[in-house]
Each structure stands twice: as C-alpha cells, then as structure tokens.
Amino acid sequence: MVYQPPSGARDLLPLDVTQKIWIERRLQEVFHRWGYHRIITSTLERLDTLTAGGAVQPSTVIQLQDAENQGLGLRPELTASIARAAVTRMGNLQFWPQRLYYNANVFRKGQANDQGQQLEFYQAGVELLGAGGLRADSEILLLLRDCLQTLGFNNTDLILGEAGLTQSLLSPFPSKQREKVRTAIANLDRIGLESLSLSSELRDRALLLFDLRGRPETVLSQVSQLDLDASQRQAVNNLKSFIELLQKCWEKSEIQPTITLDLSLLQTFDYYTGIVFIAVSDTASGARILGQGGRYDQLLGLYHPQGKTEPGIGFSLNIEELHQVLLGRGELPRQTPNIDWLVVPQTSEADAATFAYATQLRESSDLVRVEVELGRRETPEDIRDYARRRGIRQMAWVDINGNAKIEEIL
C-alpha cells in the first residue's frame, strides 16, 4: 500500500516550510510596524459560528460531528472566528479598535465532482475591528500595499468594489431572481445572466451592473446617472472620496497600484457591507489573486448576546499564490538553512561528552545549528563526505574528557 495524505491535502517538506516561513516573516514584520498583534483561533469551530448567519454556505465547510452530535466544522476562513473571539473574549471597548493579524490554515470543501481539488490553504491577514470610515478603509489598503511591496510585488493591480452599493442596486430584482442575478454577476457568467427569465428592463439593468467596471472616474460617472436614492448617492460619494484619498497617499510613492473600480465585484463570503477588493498580479502563467478582503459592519453583532455590533474590515493574503509567483522569480531560498557544526564522538565512551559539547555550542547568543553524529556512518571519511554534502563547514571530534579537535571542511 502507498500511504499518501487525503485527496486535496499535501505535505510541506522542509524546503517548502523554509520558503513559507520566509514569506510569513516578512509579512509579520509589516504587521508589527502597523501596530497589529497576532491572534490564534481554534481550527475547529461550531458550525453556526463558521456560517456567520448564512453568509458562509455550509456546503463550503468540512463538517464533523462530536460525541454529542453537535455540528462542528473546520474553518473555511478566519474572519468569522476572529469576530467571535473578539466579541466573546475581548469585549472591553476601552482597548478598541483592535488590530489583529494571523498566519493560519483554512479548509474548504470542494464540489462533489472536483476530485483532487485543494482542500487546505494557508493565509496571512489582518482584521481591524471597531473602526469605520475613510481612515480605517485607507489604513487597510495602504497596509495591503506595504505587504505586497515588501515581497517585491510592485506592479499589483487593485480591483475595488462596494458590496453594500452593489447589493442595493440589485434590490429592484424579484427576490426569487435576485440571488441568481447576484451569482451570475459574481461568477462573471454573462451567458447565464442573459438566460434568466427577466423583463427587458431588468435584463438591461442586470447587464449594466455586470459591466460596471473600469477606470474609477468612468464607472462613478455611469453609476451616478442611475436613479439612486439618498443612501446610494452617499455610498457613491464615499467611494469617490475613498479613491481620492488613496491616490493622494500614493502620489508621492514611486509605485502606485492600478485601481480598477468594479461594482460587479461580489465576494464568495456574503458578510461584506462596504468596500471589497482583490489584489491581482499578472504573471507568465496568467493573473493570480494574491489577496482579498473588505468591510463587514454587521458580522460582530452575530456573536454578541445582545446583538451589539462593531465595524470591521480586513484582508487575507494567499500564501500558496505568493509562494508560486516568488518561486518562479527565483526570490525564495533554494535550500534549507545550513548546519553550522557536526559534533562527532571519537569513541562510544565519549557520547556524554559529545552531547555536552553540542549543548555548549547551541548556547551561543546567536543561533547556531548543531548536529551530533549518531553512528550511521562507519569511517571518518564517510562522516566528512556527509558534512560536505550537507554544507557543514565545521566539525568537532570530541574525546571522553570533552576535549574537541576542530576541523574545517573544505
């Protein structure tokens, strides 16, 4: 029998882990500079937490049952879990807003006919809880830009939408048709949209919404010509002010992300209430989605005993996508870190002294990686050959009294 991980899962070997940590450490440095603190939530959650009041479809959750038949699941994303933790464990508003970040894995159930589809993903991201408005939205987008630039992504495109505005523009559609229209727009399914049974007026409106993407000033002009109510016009004005502030913040930077305003942009998870966005990088193999996020001002109230809510906004970065692009550019480490020392007992009676000498080396104020020869190789030359192949440059041959003969491996 050949033993392998389940279909859709994979192992990360030492070099994979070295490269993953290389990415995560650079992102973590950016998060720290912006004042964000790490949070770790449970991988396993109650199903009603993960579905976020219906915003996350149960069909995307890998579900489990405990001994009491309580519905449990593996988290398909982090935002709902962090919202639950913040409301139930960090309720003292004296210390809000909360700036939180994470490095974690998430799990998403594939479709029944998608054999081998990836089920486990790695993400790094942030959640800014308890802050709404222009400044908070701008902080998140500027932080996202800093993260990508730190990793060398200097030509990232930003696709920006407004979930609340888009949802309100869908309100004229009958309730039975609204979700079909929304799904077709979210999946960029123009053929499916045209095949829906709609009046000519509603079909024209659906196609207009489908095509509401392009240069911000053009799209804002198009949507402003619609018959908007007061709240919709306020949303358009807020969106215009937000884009103008972003562009002012970026104008002194040598690198300015290209903004595409896409009012047909609807995220997979349906708890977003304000701006939504996707960061895309063009590569030789096509466009890759490096990260995504948005504003969710009603989510925290789902977990509060009295339904009291706080605004929130965040983003997640897709570690696998970042890894693949950076690997193709040759910017990731090509090997695991070298071992600094190989410590070898001269005789079996010197074993205790050898381990003591290795411990002494490891107690250096700087990180020193030390291996002890465990007897797999029979001759000194075999041991030296092993050290050369592993890139180990220093060996210590230790006698029974703890005296070491130092040898440089060339």
Side-chain angles (χ1 to χ4, degrees):
M1 178 183 291
V2 177
Y3 292 95
Q4 295 180 342
S7 177
R10 68 186 182 95
D11 301 313
L12 295 180
L13 301 182
L15 181 56
D16 300 318
V17 174
T18 297
Q19 294 170 341
K20 179 174 176 288
I21 290 175
W22 186 94
I23 295 171
E24 290 177 345
R25 282 180 175 171
R26 280 155 179 77
L27 294 175
Q28 182 173 277
E29 289 175 1
V30 180
F31 298 154
H32 287 173
R33 287 198 295 267
W34 281 76
Y36 283 70
H37 301 276
R38 186 170 185 179
I39 185 171
I40 299 176
T41 61
S42 173
T43 304
L44 190 65
E45 290 270 14
R46 290 165 51 100
L47 190 59
D48 55 359
T49 295
L50 297 178
T51 54
V56 177
Q57 294 300 315
S59 59
T60 67
V61 180
I62 298 177
Q63 299 184 32
L64 307 169
Q65 291 285 332
D66 66 4
E68 300 176 355
N69 290 323
Q70 181 182 23
L72 303 174
L74 301 176
R75 60 192 179 205
E77 50 88 58
L78 269 297
T79 302
S81 294
I82 292 174
R84 186 267 309 156
V87 169
T88 59
R89 305 289 304 281
M90 306 169 68
N92 189 346
L93 297 182
Q94 179 181 353
F95 300 103
W96 284 48
Q98 289 286 343
R99 290 177 168 89
L100 307 171
Y101 81 89
Y102 57 86
N103 293 318
N105 53 352
V106 297
F107 306 85
R108 292 178 193 160
K109 187 177 180 180
Q111 300 297 321
N113 58 350
D114 289 337
Q115 296 297 320
Q117 184 184 28
Q118 189 171 346
L119 302 178
E120 183 177 12
F121 306 85
Y122 290 91
Q123 294 183 341
V126 302
E127 308 294 348
L128 174 55
L129 306 179
L134 203 57
R135 291 182 185 174
D137 290 351
S138 299
E139 174 171 321
I140 288 297
L141 268 296
L142 295 171
L143 173 52
L144 174 63
R145 184 199 63 169
D146 274 10
C147 288
L148 294 173
Q149 288 185 355
T150 293
L151 296 175
F153 290 93
N154 296 326
N155 60 343
T156 306
D157 294 331
L158 179 66
I159 301 175
L160 180 66
E162 220 291 352
L165 176 60
T166 300
Q167 291 283 17
S168 72
L169 292 175
L170 290 170
S171 60
F173 294 91
S175 57
K176 293 182 179 180
Q177 296 285 359
R178 191 178 305 142
E179 184 57 31
K180 295 179 181 179
V181 173
R182 181 190 182 280
T183 300
I185 291 175
N187 295 324
L188 298 180
D189 182 7
R190 190 182 189 95
I191 295 176
L193 190 63
E194 292 175 337
S195 67
L196 293 177
S197 179
L198 298 170
S199 67
S200 58
E201 180 181 356
L202 287 178
R203 180 174 288 104
D204 289 344
R205 184 180 183 89
L207 293 174
L208 173 65
L209 296 178
F210 187 93
D211 292 327
L212 273 178
R213 71 176 63 86
R215 292 170 57 87
E217 55 271 26
T218 302
V219 175
L220 288 170
S221 176
Q222 289 177 311
V223 75
S224 295
Q225 295 173 20
L226 297 175
D227 183 18
L228 304 178
D229 61 27
S231 62
Q232 290 171 330
R233 291 200 176 278
Q234 184 62 51
V236 171
N237 291 335
N238 291 343
L239 188 56
K240 180 180 179 181
S241 298
F242 172 61
I243 294 173
E244 289 175 349
L245 178 56
L246 278 185
Q247 291 172 336
K248 286 180 181 178
C249 291
W250 288 341
E251 65 184 8
K252 295 183 179 180
S253 172
E254 296 180 1
I255 302 166
Q256 301 181 20
T258 301
I259 298 178
T260 297
L261 182 55
D262 184 354
L263 292 184
S264 69
L265 178 61
L266 293 167
Q267 297 282 39
T268 304
F269 302 120
D270 195 22
Y271 44 60
Y272 292 106
T273 59
I275 66 163
V276 289
F277 49 88
I278 297 175
V280 180
S281 178
D282 285 328
T283 68
S285 59
R288 287 184 178 269
I289 297 177
L290 305 179
Q292 57 279 310
R295 171 162 290 285
Y296 46 89
D297 285 351
Q298 304 302 320
L299 181 61
L300 274 69
L302 296 176
Y303 307 110
H304 192 279
Q306 287 78 44
K308 182 179 180 180
T309 194
E310 288 285 342
I313 184 172
F315 66 77
S316 62
L317 291 163
N318 305 321
I319 299 297
E320 282 93 350
E321 296 295 329
L322 296 171
H323 179 267
Q324 289 302 311
V325 177
L326 292 170
L327 190 63
R329 294 178 180 178
E331 297 181 20
L332 294 176
R334 297 301 183 97
Q335 62 183 26
T336 56
N338 286 336
I339 301 300
D340 300 300
W341 286 88
L342 178 61
V343 183
V344 187
Q346 293 184 16
T347 64
S348 59
E349 291 78 12
D351 284 354
T354 298
F355 280 110
Y357 190 87
T359 297
Q360 182 181 347
L361 290 173
R362 295 186 184 111
E363 290 175 346
S364 169
S365 58
D366 297 322
L367 174 61
V368 177
R369 292 178 169 87
V370 182
E371 283 188 10
V372 172
E373 169 55 40
L374 300 178
R376 186 178 179 89
R377 283 152 283 276
E378 296 182 356
T379 68
E381 192 50 46
D382 287 341
I383 296 173
R384 291 186 181 97
D385 182 61
Y386 166 78
R388 290 188 191 97
R389 286 185 286 107
R390 289 292 308 276
I392 303 173
R393 296 304 181 193
Q394 297 182 95
M395 296 176 60
W397 302 82
V398 181
D399 65 19
I400 191 171
N401 297 316
N403 300 313
K405 179 183 176 182
I406 307 303
E407 180 178 348
E408 300 285 339
I409 302 298
L410 302 177

